[in-house]
Amino acid sequence: MKIVCIGRNYAEHIEELGNERPDEPIFFLKPDTALLKNNDPFFHPDFSTDIHHEIELLVKIKKEGKSISKEFASDYYDEIGLGIDFTARDLQSKAKEKGRPWEIAKAFNGSAPISNFVSKEDYDMKNVSFKLEKNRKVVQAGNTSLMLWTVDEIISYVSQFILLKIGDIIFTGTPKGVGQVKIGDRLVGYLADKKMLDFEVK
Ligand code: MG
């Protein structure tokens, strides 16, 4: 399976990092070795001193498809979840400066903690709220209504370039409020009011 991540999908997050608003979705990949499941702890790597949390809504692909049209994109997933796109912001800044790829900052072991998945039927995909608490304080709160590109548009766009296969996971971008994690932090993520993630940084 592969993990496809969308960058810059929320206007206020683009602003907080001083990035340019893209005219097309931006995506990158993480390897399956980035996955962290079952609320296992995240071990802070020592190659970065600025690992950021990015809470994101996830969708899981249930049907193989390429060049999927927007109109049919919703047939390609029926489960959603919550994940964190851990980012070594210091390494990413250096990579951006030098025009290098982002993998070094995005694809490391454990950089993709994910929750269990739940049926999308219980949610209005255009209005799904989610949030992240760090040490019991809300640090990020998002809603899919604020996305620049909807889930269906993302699936359609990505599938023009990459065949989507059963079990692939899409990280749909982070809302504002990204910030550093430190050893000892506890991260708890909610999809609407449902607790989906709860783990420690070690
Ligand atoms: Mg992200």
Side-chain angles (χ1 to χ4, degrees):
M1 57 84 63
K2 56 187 168 292
I3 304 165
V4 180
C5 304
I6 303 300
R8 302 182 195 175
N9 202 19
Y10 289 83
E12 289 180 339
H13 170 62
I14 294 171
E15 281 168 27
E16 76 181 344
L17 292 186
N19 284 324
E20 211 171 278
R21 193 168 169 147
D23 43 21
E24 285 170 325
I26 291 180
F27 70 87
F28 57 91
L29 303 180
K30 290 186 191 244
D32 57 4
T33 45
L35 288 176
L36 196 58
K37 295 179 183 173
N38 307 315
N39 285 320
D40 283 348
F42 169 69
F43 288 93
H44 194 298
D46 52 18
F47 52 71
S48 169
T49 56
D50 198 19
I51 301 281
H52 276 199
H53 53 76
E54 294 190 357
I55 188 80
E56 308 197 7
L57 183 90
L58 310 180
V59 300
K60 191 193 264 184
I61 297 297
K62 68 152 185 182
K63 192 163 99 170
E64 188 167 301
K66 61 178 176 182
S67 301
I68 300 163
S69 73
K70 206 178 97 180
E71 289 66 32
F72 296 111
S74 66
D75 297 343
Y76 287 79
Y77 74 100
D78 43 35
E79 288 185 309
I80 63 175
L82 211 55
I84 296 180
D85 166 21
F86 275 129
T87 304
R89 198 69 73 201
D90 44 0
L91 301 186
Q92 189 194 30
S93 299
K94 203 188 285 180
K96 276 186 190 168
E97 235 169 68
K98 302 195 170 183
R100 291 176 181 165
W102 289 6
E103 275 80 359
I104 195 170
K106 289 283 198 181
F108 52 87
N109 299 332
S111 63
I114 60 166
S115 70
N116 290 328
F117 285 79
V118 293
S119 170
K120 74 175 179 190
E121 297 308 323
D122 300 333
Y123 299 87
D124 168 6
M125 284 307 296
K126 293 200 157 53
N127 184 24
V128 183
S129 61
F130 57 100
K131 67 181 178 186
L132 178 70
E133 290 178 0
K134 184 171 81 177
N135 305 327
R136 296 188 173 182
K137 198 181 144 213
V138 177
V139 286
Q140 289 191 268
N143 188 292
T144 53
S145 64
L146 300 171
M147 286 176 160
L148 300 183
W149 288 281
T150 65
V151 169
D152 291 353
E153 287 168 337
I154 288 167
I155 288 173
S156 173
Y157 184 78
V158 171
S159 71
Q160 290 179 48
F161 304 94
I162 302 183
L163 174 71
L164 292 175
K165 296 180 80 171
I166 295 170
D168 288 349
I169 294 171
I170 302 180
F171 278 64
T172 60
T174 198
K176 70 171 175 180
V178 301
Q180 202 177 72
V181 297
K182 293 208 163 86
I183 291 170
D185 283 346
R186 183 174 165 203
L187 299 174
V188 179
Y190 294 86
L191 188 59
D193 292 325
K194 193 179 164 65
K195 192 196 273 192
M196 303 287 284
L197 289 169
D198 185 354
F199 66 94
E200 254 183 82
V201 179
K202 289 194 168 172

